[in-house]
Structures are given as C-alpha cells and as structure tokens.
Amino acid sequence: MKILIADDSRVMRQIVVRTLRQAGHGGHDIVEAENGKQALELVQSEQPDLVLSDWNMPEMTGIDCLSALRASGSTVKFGFVTSEGSDEMRERAAAAGAAFLIAKPFTPEAFDDALRSVI
C-alpha cells in the first residue's frame, strides 16, 4: 500500500510516519508532500492508496486539495491528521469525502482505528 502524507511541517510528517509504524502500519510505501498543491499533483503521478493530510497548509489547504481531487473524479481514500478537531471541521471533512479525521495530539491507537476502516 502507498500512503501520501501531506503536511507543511517536515517534523510532523516524520511523526506521522513513526506513529503509523507504532500502530502496526509500518510496511507501506510513503510519499510526502509539503502542501495541498503538491499533494494534488502527487496523487495523480504516484497513485497512492491513501492520503493523510493536514488541514491548514500554504499554497492549498487540505480541504481544498480533497475538494479538487473529488472534482477531478479521484476516489483515493483521504483522511485528515490535524489540530482542527471540532465537530464543524469533522462535518466539513466528511461532507467533502474524507474517510476520517484524526485530531492532534494523536495516539497509535487512533491511527489504527482510523486506518482499519479504509485498509
């Protein structure tokens, strides 16, 4: 399985990779994007099975990336890993087609629970 991790923080991308490993999902190919625009391009070129995206990023937000993917006909599985965990954000994410939203700070168990629903 190929997972695209989109976050403008390199450190946060590394934390997500480490948490995936701790949750028992460490054997996957990882592709990284620094913003939503790059993630959108990488979904087309790399064909990941899952996108894990921050919400707030420069150039293009995660929610705008998801909306652009769905508008282009992409059905790639997409979840948010973000500090924005309000009910309103969860509703916006679900309405846009996200499979889940994991709020920071997160645990390996939260990743495992979310990923089991899409893997």
Side-chain angles (χ1 to χ4, degrees):
M1 178 172 214
K2 187 183 289 187
I3 300 174
L4 170 60
I5 300 171
D7 198 302
D8 53 313
S9 165
R10 184 180 61 83
V11 171
M12 186 51 65
R13 292 193 307 269
Q14 291 172 337
I15 291 169
V16 170
V17 170
R18 184 183 72 218
T19 306
L20 283 169
R21 269 198 313 269
Q22 292 170 340
H25 300 280
H28 304 297
D29 292 333
I30 302 294
V31 180
E32 295 184 26
E34 296 178 5
N35 57 57
K37 183 174 183 280
Q38 187 180 28
L40 184 61
E41 294 165 359
L42 286 171
V43 166
Q44 294 162 353
S45 64
E46 294 288 332
Q47 299 290 307
D49 301 291
L50 172 65
V51 177
L52 297 176
S53 178
D54 189 15
W55 191 290
N56 293 310
M57 296 179 288
E59 305 232 7
M60 178 184 273
T61 65
I63 194 75
D64 289 343
C65 177
L66 175 56
S67 296
L69 285 168
R70 295 300 182 250
S72 74
S74 173
T75 58
V76 65
K77 294 171 184 148
F78 196 107
F80 286 101
V81 180
T82 183
S83 56
E84 308 287 334
S86 69
D87 289 343
E88 179 189 345
M89 297 299 260
R90 291 177 187 279
E91 289 170 16
R92 283 185 64 197
F100 56 84
L101 186 151
I102 300 170
K104 299 172 189 171
F106 45 75
T107 64
E109 293 78 19
F111 266 70
D112 189 42
D113 289 345
L115 292 180
R116 261 193 272 138
S117 71
V118 296
I119 293 180

